[in-house]
């Protein structure tokens, strides 16, 4: 993280970035966002995108991220080297999104903790 802080200083953008460190209130932070943006060079299936979808955020992701990540239908994928205008157009579209409860979507996709416990605990010989 120190490298990122130093780079932000070198780029003179430190006043536009908050380095929040490790958090236990990510779900609350996600409620303050309008869009989840991940222009990553190397990703598989990031849990952070699943969390963003649980908060019903539209997600703008690089096409390096596995398409199976889109469990809500709210993910758009663009090539990491797409022109800035293409990314901006997706940002503009995301502004129109109206949030709704995504609990059932998350459950059906297999990401519900309670349902997973029912499957995992018996595998370890624990009766729930």
């Amino acid at each position: 993280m120190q490298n990122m802080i130093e780079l932000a200083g070198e780029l003179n953008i430190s006043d536009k970035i908050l380095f929040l460190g490790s958090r236990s209130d990510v779900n609350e932070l996600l409620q303050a966002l309008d869009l989840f943006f991940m222009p990553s060079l190397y990703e598989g299936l990031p849990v952070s995108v699943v969390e963003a979808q649980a908060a019903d955020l539209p997600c703008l992701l690089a096409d390096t991220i596995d398409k199976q990540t889109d469990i809500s239908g709210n993910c758009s994928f663009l090539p990491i080297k797409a022109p800035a205008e293409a990314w901006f157009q997706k940002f503009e579209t995301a502004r129109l999104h109206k949030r709704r409860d995504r609990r059932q979507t998350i459950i059906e996709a297999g990401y519900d903790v309670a349902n997973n416990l029912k499957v995992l605990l018996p595998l370890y010989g624990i009766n729930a």
Side-chain angles (χ1 to χ4, degrees):
M1 171 120 80
Q2 187 58 39
N3 290 347
M4 291 186 290
I5 294 170
E6 290 172 10
L7 179 59
E10 291 170 18
L11 296 172
N12 201 29
I13 58 172
S14 295
D15 62 329
K16 301 192 177 8
I17 299 174
L18 298 173
F19 293 98
L20 302 177
S22 182
R23 304 288 297 233
S24 62
D25 61 345
V26 172
N27 60 322
E28 294 173 21
L29 293 172
L30 289 172
Q31 295 304 314
L33 302 179
D34 296 318
L35 173 81
F36 188 86
F37 177 56
M38 185 177 273
S40 181
L41 293 174
Y42 309 103
E43 291 293 336
L45 197 152
V47 174
S48 57
V49 178
V50 174
E51 290 175 316
Q53 290 175 88
D56 199 31
L57 284 170
C59 299
L60 181 52
L61 312 170
D63 65 355
T64 53
I65 297 170
D66 193 312
K67 305 298 183 281
Q68 291 182 25
T69 304
D70 185 6
I71 59 175
S72 68
N74 285 342
C75 294
S76 297
F77 297 87
L78 281 175
I80 192 75
K81 294 185 179 182
E85 181 61 31
W87 288 92
F88 180 74
Q89 287 175 353
K90 293 289 186 179
F91 275 116
E92 286 296 303
T93 302
R95 290 177 7 150
L96 304 174
H97 180 76
K98 302 287 184 218
R99 286 188 176 178
R100 58 192 175 105
D101 185 345
R102 286 290 182 173
R103 179 162 169 69
Q104 194 58 40
T105 302
I106 300 303
I107 291 170
E108 290 170 7
Y111 291 99
D112 182 66
V113 172
N115 286 341
N116 283 310
L117 278 175
K118 291 176 187 174
V119 173
L120 290 174
L121 289 177
L123 293 175
Y124 290 95
I126 300 170
N127 295 324

